[in-house]
Amino acid sequence: MDRTRRNLLIGGSMLGTLALAGLLPGACAGRQGRKAAVRGSSPPKRPPGAPRPMLEEDIAPVLARLDAWYAAHLSNQYKFNPPATDAALDAFERRVGLKMPRAYRQLYRWHDGEESDRWGPIYGLPLLPLRHVEQEWTAWNEVLAGFNGNRYEIPGSGWPRGAVDPAYINPRWIALTHDGSGNHIGLDFDPWPAGRRGQVILYGRDEDVKVVLAPSLGRFLEWIAGLLESGNFRLEVEPGRQVLRPFGLKDPPTDHFHDGARILWARPGRMADLRDRRQSRSSCHLKA
């Protein structure tokens, strides 16, 4: 499917919603420039079986590690929001119709995300406040309604095979981050049988291949903390300003964490096709 067809599909009356959620093509829209594989109009057949159950985790130890790293490296440049209340978390669960794992509530009782700058603490990606998570979820569901409920209107695929729904949109995906261009790291509450409920995935406007990054939120945060503690980061702060700008991986030296994450999780010969299908993202640092 070419870019023009994609933009027509997500255009029209959805412009306001898409602009609010950052789903419209923006300043970096030309960085993709590739065609998605067209597999016909029929939804893919879901494999038989049930996914593994959600992990119940205590993420207090990894949050302490992240606190220590941020205090050492970002103490004067970066501020999180205060914790979310239990009432706000309960209201969010009612709105999206999902019971969130213990780790999710711990994460938001740690901080209700941040919104001081576009470049955030997950290698430049902001942790979304609950109200922004709900806005993203609402916007994607309105796009789905515009597709007459067809999750596969824009075809895609998933990795590992059979672990994640290859849909363009799934209402049981909950964003953790956004990149300003309609792409997310998020929790998957509707995995395919080879996956696990609550796994962490890449999805969004440009993510033709949905990729499982971790089996749970806790494992994902442990991975992030390990990368940071190992020194695998490039961090720059604008002189004289308390504003974080470029914050990325050192190895691989990518301009976007999604691309680096795919490479880091690659197994020999398993994901080369993913890198071939995605044109390298150009440097495009959007100002807040």
Side-chain angles (χ1 to χ4, degrees), residues 129-145:
L130 281 177
R131 67 179 182 276
H132 291 175
V133 177
E134 185 174 327
Q135 287 173 359
E136 298 287 349
W137 179 84
T138 299
W140 278 111
N141 276 278
E142 290 180 358
V143 174
L144 182 60

Side-chain angles (χ1 to χ4, degrees), residues 41-65:
S41 58
S42 299
K45 184 177 180 180
R46 183 184 176 105
R52 287 164 289 175
M54 185 163 48
L55 293 174
E56 286 299 325
E57 305 165 295
D58 177 1
I59 64 169
V62 73
L63 294 180
R65 289 167 60 192

Side-chain angles (χ1 to χ4, degrees), residues 117-196:
D117 190 74
R118 185 178 294 274
W119 294 91
I122 309 296
Y123 278 96
L125 300 173
L127 179 65
L128 294 173
L130 281 177
R131 67 179 182 276
H132 291 175
V133 177
E134 185 174 327
Q135 287 173 359
E136 298 287 349
W137 179 84
T138 299
W140 278 111
N141 276 278
E142 290 180 358
V143 174
L144 182 60
F147 291 166
N148 295 317
N150 182 7
R151 302 178 185 181
Y152 307 98
E153 183 75 17
I154 296 176
S157 58
W159 186 90
R161 185 181 299 275
V164 59
D165 187 356
Y168 182 64
I169 303 169
N170 188 313
R172 295 172 70 84
W173 293 342
I174 302 297
L176 288 170
T177 71
H178 74 73
D179 70 348
S181 295
N183 303 298
H184 308 280
I185 295 171
L187 298 184
D188 176 10
F189 293 95
D190 188 23
W192 278 23
R196 181 182 291 276

